[in-house]
Amino acid sequence: MSIRFTAKARRGIVALTVAAGLAVGVAGCGGGGDDDKKPEPSASASKGNGSQPSTQEGQSDVPLAELKGQDGLLLQITSAERDAGGFVTVNGNLKNDSAKSVVVPAAVRGDETEIVRNGRSLGGATLVDSKGKKRYYVLRDTDGRPLTTTGFSTLKAGETLAVFMQFPAPPEGTTEVAFQLPTFASAPIQISG
């Protein structure tokens, strides 16, 4: 069984996300100390104009899961955090573990028309709750763009790209789900928060 959101529901989710982001931004304003002027480190190893993951406090150095893909690609899941707004944000690192440049397969974006027309992304990722018998797809904004890292294509040998994907949250009691991404092995991950 799959969960699909109507355009109205997606608009509501995006509005809630924007409102939460603005509230956090306003709460962070003020002060004027030296700490307010520190530059943000770049989270991406590629030169694309894609979305960038946010830094998550409490991320472990030990990945929750490592998924092997084709041609030496490796996806390390570093966190799966349940957000207050009813989302699960999965963060990780996509690494080229081979000795040559690798084109990230287009299949990782999935095959839904709405996702495909928005270019390269990790829009094909899903979370599967086998106990609840539900599959959760990457969320989309009101323009149909997936809420995930976008704008990448090739990783040089040894290069790592920080990535994120945002999903609707399974019920509170669900803490273990299977993470799936086309062309990669599936792996169980723990949701925290």
Side-chain angles (χ1 to χ4, degrees):
M1 172 183 244
S2 66
I3 294 180
R4 297 285 181 183
F5 287 96
T6 64
K8 187 175 182 180
R10 283 190 297 235
R11 282 193 296 274
I13 289 170
V14 170
L16 179 62
T17 302
V18 170
L22 289 173
V24 169
V26 169
C29 291
D34 291 339
D35 289 341
D36 294 338
K37 296 179 183 173
K38 288 183 181 176
E40 292 288 324
S42 174
S44 174
S46 70
K47 294 183 180 181
N49 60 354
S51 304
Q52 300 301 321
S54 61
T55 302
Q56 296 287 322
E57 288 186 22
Q59 275 190 4
S60 172
D61 290 340
V62 178
L64 295 176
E66 287 190 351
L67 293 77
K68 291 187 179 186
Q70 60 189 37
D71 298 326
L73 289 175
L74 179 68
L75 178 62
Q76 296 176 323
I77 304 295
T78 56
S79 70
E81 297 282 333
R82 188 182 299 271
D83 302 331
F87 311 112
V88 169
T89 303
V90 174
N91 291 291
N93 296 303
L94 182 60
K95 182 178 182 184
N96 177 357
D97 220 13
S98 75
K100 59 182 173 123
S101 290
V102 173
V103 175
V104 179
V108 298
R109 70 180 173 201
D111 58 6
E112 292 182 41
T113 304
E114 193 172 87
I115 297 274
V116 169
R117 73 172 184 220
N118 284 294
R120 291 281 171 114
S121 72
L122 299 174
T126 58
L127 298 179
V128 179
D129 173 8
S130 58
K131 289 183 182 177
K133 298 181 181 176
K134 293 190 178 181
R135 179 181 303 262
Y136 299 88
Y137 292 86
V138 169
L139 292 170
R140 292 145 180 94
D141 67 13
T142 56
D143 293 325
R145 292 183 301 253
L147 299 180
T148 179
T149 305
T150 60
F152 54 85
S153 62
T154 303
L155 292 178
K156 296 175 185 169
E159 185 175 21
T160 299
L161 173 67
V163 296
F164 81 99
M165 294 142 279
Q166 197 167 53
F167 303 88
E172 286 290 329
T174 302
T175 57
E176 185 171 309
V177 293
F179 176 86
Q180 297 178 339
L181 182 65
T183 75
F184 284 79
S186 178
I189 60 171
Q190 292 288 325
I191 299 173
S192 60

